[in-house]
Amino acid sequence: MIVRVIYEKGDKVRFLGHLDIVRVVQMSVARAGWPVKMSEGFSPKPRMDFGSPLPVGVAGYEEMFEVVLTEARPLDWLARTLSAQFPSDFRIREILPVPPGRESLSESIVASVYDLDLKGVEASALSRAFDAFMADESVLLEITRPKETRQVDLRPFVLEALVLPSTGEIDRPAACSPAHAGQDNTRVLASMTVRHDRGRTIRPQWVLSSLDRYGLVLDARETIIDRRKILLEQH
Amino acid sequence: MLRVNREEITWEDLRRELGKVEKPARYTGGEINAIRKDPEKADVRFALAFPDVYEVGASHLGSQILYYVINSMDRVACERTYAPWKDMEELLRRKNWPLYTLESRAPLYAFDIVGFSLQYELTYTNVLAMLELGGIPLRSKDRDESHPLVIAGGPVALSAEPLADFIDAFALGDGEEVVGDIISVYKDWRVSGKPRSFLLRELSQIPGVYVPSLYEVFYNPDNTVSRISPRNLDGFSAPERVHRRVLKSLESAPYPTKPLIPLIPPIHDRAVVEIFRGCTQGCRFCQAGMIYRPVREREPETIEKMALEILERSGFNEVSLVSLSSADYTYIKDLVSNLLKNPCGAKVSLPSLRVDSFSVGLAEMLGGGTKSGLTLAPEAGSQRMRDIINKRVTEEDILAAAESAFSAGYSHIKLYFMIGLPGETDEDVVAIGKLAQEIRRLGRNMGKRPSIVVSVSGFVPKAHTPFQWEPCLRPEEIMRRQRLLGSVLRGPGLEYRYHDVRLTRLEAVFSRGDRRLASALELAFKKGRRFDAWTDDYKQEEWDAVFEESGVDVDFYAHRERSENEVFPWDHLSSGVRKSYLLRERRLAMQEAKTPDCRGADCTGCGVCPDLGVKVDLAGRRDGQ
Ligand code: SF4
């Protein structure tokens, strides 16, 4: 039996990196007593697919992983046992059976929708910068990682970048909603939809960092970023 | 320079800033099995402070035990904090935020008691940084009734005189019981409304608690200590000597079977069961081997039960059976083979193996097919040196261990040695290289392609050991010996790694220092020294300047042989092992004579059992069984 677990990586655990999430989820599943299938070989690993990694600092409320079980279990049993073992600020949204013979989770992700909560910028300035970004053909950014530096063209990955009206609450779960938004006029909420191309994608933070070329200078590290949704390929 | 009125940190502020520091999850808590008690319902709020980075502190066994013990007390809440890495310290300072605990994000100054865990001397500057960032006056004398009581425990507490001016009280020895005594004295004092000085006096009456401000140190013209005596305070005086607290039995000691599990991997990312405490192998350089005596074992059934419980409740896929020398455990083979059948399919590991075929056999049992590498610690290369340090293994033992390792399929062997041990000659240094060559030859003759890593550290004499009188070699001399060894360690399949000599020297100054080093520590802290054990950030010039400016003679502390009748700055603190025994061991070392292990054999007279009212407590051999 293969199941897909849709869960929330909440606000307070946003600073966990992808490998941390994998470790925490694997240990939680072990404590929950799920009969997880192990891989063959020298050092067997639980057979799990974590889809699309979230970087340190980003929360997500429709994250997913898939796990192969050695025997079938009722979905409500799975939900109950795992809920009891998840650390605080991890929440199960839904558990679904996965039909066999379907392509891997990571391959079937086509886009991610992010919410951005920026401080110290004007909505109009951000909006202009987004428009300029979208109007460009290519936006190259140098990404520095501990081991390598590479150039990425951000533009083709961004499907949409919008400033949201500051009045009116956005529909999102309480755990991820920024407190007091709207009371602060240098606080702007935005949304960004980013494409995944066979596992490859970009981070919204990179887009924010690239906006200086359109006259908007901000410290992208101060932006609160949440992934609202993962869009999967429809069959 | 207390900085009160620091701003409270809200999560909203914190989450906008933490993205700027490395590994922000170090500072956000929320760990599995973390205990969050309502501060409103606690009479005493206790902050456990670990003066090293989160990943080191979060899995530290002693701290886990205390966290569990203190939180088991009614109306007492224990929270945790760790040394902020430099980027985080900078952030805290920039935002004027206090160092806070992970559970309730409360500033350190808001706690009743702040307890530091002292594991090594090179964390002293971090202790000062945490006090200041936590809004607590650095020096004990500058604190009043509004400030937390600052205490410290851990192995280093038995010789932490350089911290004497900064710590209100040290807890010596096993912490499980004494921490409760301290908390109850604290509670009574608070109700009494008496001045802080009264609290300190009351604390000094608890066995195992050392209040440094109640003692005066007198010095000789040559700078050595002449006398340490309790001050006379209108008829009151603290005890002449403070003896380490020792649990009579580990079997009945509290142990967390719901361990705290950090959300980011700590350095020891596995389940842990302490199978015994204390080691009486008697290696003469080893402080742990002296200050944790006698050996007290848990029963195998208890260990198995604990291990299974922890595995089930944690989801770890490995359980480590820890102690100072796990292969010595009375029922180690049975224990390991039973545990290997655990239903979780978890691996079993032992942190410290002896150098003999028995231990290699154990390693093989544990290996489970993965023959990555094996670590052995002969400590010295020549038989003469091993006799001097009382490492009771022969060259045959070592080669037999290596042979079993090769035939079991291991090809990577890591060997630990020390250089600069008392009485060492160039020949002894070269012998390390020869031994490594010999092991490589053995492997080749067995048709393997061995790869041997030789890891060498400089010997640092430690307080409360038979070598406490010995000098630490100067860095130039250690380097010369390192090079000498390097010249014989050439060739394929041999790799040579050595410890930074500058750290050796710094550790040597602080591990046998006196309270006059306080000003040097404070200066180093002010100059920004932190995390001194982290070599990549070590700044020799800064420390040189610190010692120069504060008038510290490094030679006096580190490189001088001490006379047999010298009074040491820690002589009023007793580990239970008598100074006369240590001296006898030192003389035996000079005669290259060995002393046997008292585990299961005759007492060798170290004094711990009669003086502290305890005895060797082996599994299956208890009274009435
Ligand atoms: S007093 Fe004797 S039996 Fe007890 S630890 Fe010392 S040497 Fe061993």
Side-chain angles (χ1 to χ4, degrees), chain A residues 11 23 31 117 187 222, chain B residues 11 15-16 20 262 269:
Chain A
D11 182 35
R23 173 178 166 276
R31 283 197 305 278
D117 170 351
R187 193 161 175 185
E222 290 180 6
Chain B
W11 173 246
R15 66 180 190 155
R16 290 222 185 248
K20 298 172 187 171
D269 193 15

Side-chain angles (χ1 to χ4, degrees), chain A residues 11-16 20 23-24 27 30-31 42 56 87-88 117-119 178-179 187 219 221-224, chain B residues 11-12 15-20 24-25 28 30 32 261-266 269 312-316 369-370:
Chain A
D11 182 35
K12 296 277 170 59
V13 291
R14 65 172 62 250
F15 292 108
L16 298 184
D20 304 326
R23 173 178 166 276
V24 165
M27 288 177 76
R31 283 197 305 278
F42 234 31
V56 171
S88 55
D117 170 351
L118 301 96
K119 225 177 156 175
R187 193 161 175 185
D219 189 342
R221 297 171 303 176
E222 290 180 6
T223 301
I224 310 290
Chain B
W11 173 246
E12 169 58 19
R15 66 180 190 155
R16 290 222 185 248
E17 295 295 330
L18 278 184
K20 298 172 187 171
T28 53
I32 298 162
I261 304 166
L263 302 182
I264 56 174
D269 193 15
E312 258 168 42
R313 290 171 174 189
S314 64
F316 281 123
T370 48

Side-chain angles (χ1 to χ4, degrees), chain B residues 280 293-294 598 603-610 616:
Chain B
T280 40
R293 290 171 174 230
C598 66
C603 170
T604 60
C606 80
V608 162
C609 296
V616 177

Side-chain angles (χ1 to χ4, degrees), chain B residues 244-276:
Chain B
R244 171 175 67 101
R245 284 289 279 270
V246 189
L247 291 180
K248 282 199 161 62
S249 150
L250 199 62
E251 179 68 6
S252 52
Y255 199 80
T257 49
K258 278 179 87 176
L260 180 114
I261 304 166
L263 302 182
I264 56 174
I267 54 165
H268 299 298
D269 193 15
R270 55 189 83 97
V272 170
V273 181
E274 187 182 18
I275 60 175
F276 66 86

Side-chain angles (χ1 to χ4, degrees), chain B residues 235-416:
Chain B
F236 171 89
S237 58
E240 292 278 335
R241 297 192 82 199
V242 183
H243 298 275
R244 171 175 67 101
R245 284 289 279 270
V246 189
L247 291 180
K248 282 199 161 62
S249 150
L250 199 62
E251 179 68 6
S252 52
Y255 199 80
T257 49
K258 278 179 87 176
L260 180 114
I261 304 166
L263 302 182
I264 56 174
I267 54 165
H268 299 298
D269 193 15
R270 55 189 83 97
V272 170
V273 181
E274 187 182 18
I275 60 175
F276 66 86
R277 198 171 292 178
C279 170
T280 40
Q281 287 271 350
C283 298
R284 293 180 178 129
F285 57 85
C286 177
Q287 193 183 44
M290 297 292 152
I291 66 168
Y292 287 107
R293 290 171 174 230
V295 168
R296 290 146 290 158
E297 292 186 339
R298 278 203 164 93
E299 294 295 335
E301 302 79 36
T302 314
I303 297 169
E304 278 171 44
K305 195 168 146 263
M306 283 176 168
L308 295 182
E309 231 171 278
I310 297 174
L311 285 172
E312 258 168 42
R313 290 171 174 189
S314 64
F316 281 123
N317 56 11
E318 178 179 345
V319 58
S320 183
L321 304 175
V322 307
S323 73
L324 291 167
S325 179
S326 292
D328 291 353
Y329 179 70
T330 306
Y331 301 111
I332 190 67
K333 266 214 157 123
D334 292 346
L335 178 64
V336 166
S337 68
N338 283 349
L339 273 179
L340 281 170
K341 293 178 218 141
N342 71 79
C344 316
K347 286 192 292 188
V348 179
S349 63
L350 301 175
S352 45
L353 283 176
R354 287 188 322 230
V355 192
D356 54 27
S357 332
F358 176 79
S359 301
V360 175
L362 277 177
E364 210 190 331
M365 271 172 83
L366 305 173
T370 48
K371 295 283 159 48
S372 46
L374 191 72
T375 302
L376 301 172
E379 312 286 5
S382 66
Q383 193 56 48
R384 194 184 78 87
M385 276 320 297
R386 284 193 297 273
D387 291 346
I388 289 179
I389 64 177
N390 203 40
K391 184 87 189 177
R392 286 165 292 104
V393 292
T394 61
E395 175 124 3
E396 291 79 70
D397 292 329
I398 300 169
L399 294 178
E403 191 177 338
S404 338
F406 289 129
S407 54
Y410 292 99
S411 54
H412 302 281
I413 297 185
K414 190 170 180 189
L415 301 166
Y416 275 107

Side-chain angles (χ1 to χ4, degrees), chain A residues 61 113-118 121-124 126-128 130-131 160-172 178 181-182 184-193 224 226 228:
Chain A
Y61 29 105
V113 184
Y114 292 94
D115 288 332
L116 280 53
D117 170 351
L118 301 96
V121 284
E122 301 260 345
S124 52
L126 181 64
S127 186
R128 276 197 303 277
F130 275 166
D131 291 347
E160 187 184 67
L162 297 171
V163 173
L164 301 174
S166 62
T167 50
E169 270 306 301
I170 314 164
D171 177 30
R172 60 169 100 192
D184 183 343
N185 58 6
T186 65
R187 193 161 175 185
V188 180
L189 301 180
S191 155
M192 193 182 292
T193 305
I224 310 290
D226 298 335
R228 190 189 334 146

